[in-house]
Every structure is written in structure tokens, then in C-alpha cells.
Amino acid sequence: MSFPYKKNIEKSMKKFYDSLCEKNKRRYAAIESEKLSHGGVNSISALLECDPKTMALCEIQWVVEF
């Protein structure tokens, strides 16, 4: 799969994601997927190796919290 980011950026994103606690991982993934708009959830979930269903749930929670 081809991502919209350069490899060094992807590596930094993954490293940062891995340093976060679980709650903040979900938030970060949801924010990054919003940046990409269409197909963002699938792209970011593949890049960060997280569940797209969890990301979708986090997006809903994010809207409610803020």
C-alpha cells in the first residue's frame, strides 16, 4: 500500500505513535486520519498498525468530547 507521506515521515509518525499511551494513540490516529479525508482511516490504520474500527470509535468520542 502506498501512503501519502515520505518514508522518513512515516517512520517518525510510527515512532511517535508507539510512544503514546493507549488513549492518546487512538486520538493521534483519529486526527491523522482526518487530515487525509477519504480513505484516511484505512491508510493510517495500516501505517500505525491499529484497528480501523477502534479509530472510528475514537473519532466519535473525539467529537463528543470537544
Side-chain angles (χ1 to χ4, degrees):
M1 175 176 233
S2 176
F3 295 103
Y5 302 106
K6 294 179 182 178
K7 291 293 179 192
N8 63 327
I9 299 297
E10 290 178 8
K11 187 176 179 179
S12 294
M13 289 170 68
K14 178 69 172 144
K15 188 173 183 177
F16 177 70
Y17 175 82
D18 289 340
S19 74
L20 299 172
C21 69
E22 195 61 37
K23 183 176 183 178
N24 289 336
K25 282 182 177 183
R26 293 190 301 268
R27 288 178 171 172
Y28 176 68
I31 290 169
E32 287 297 332
S33 71
E34 282 293 312
K35 290 180 187 178
L36 299 179
S37 189
H38 181 72
V41 170
N42 290 330
S43 295
I44 295 299
S45 67
L47 173 63
L48 300 178
E49 301 172 0
C50 59
D51 186 359
K53 292 177 186 173
T54 302
M55 287 177 56
L57 177 60
C58 184
E59 287 176 349
I60 293 167
Q61 290 171 342
W62 186 261
V63 169
V64 171
E65 287 179 15
F66 296 98

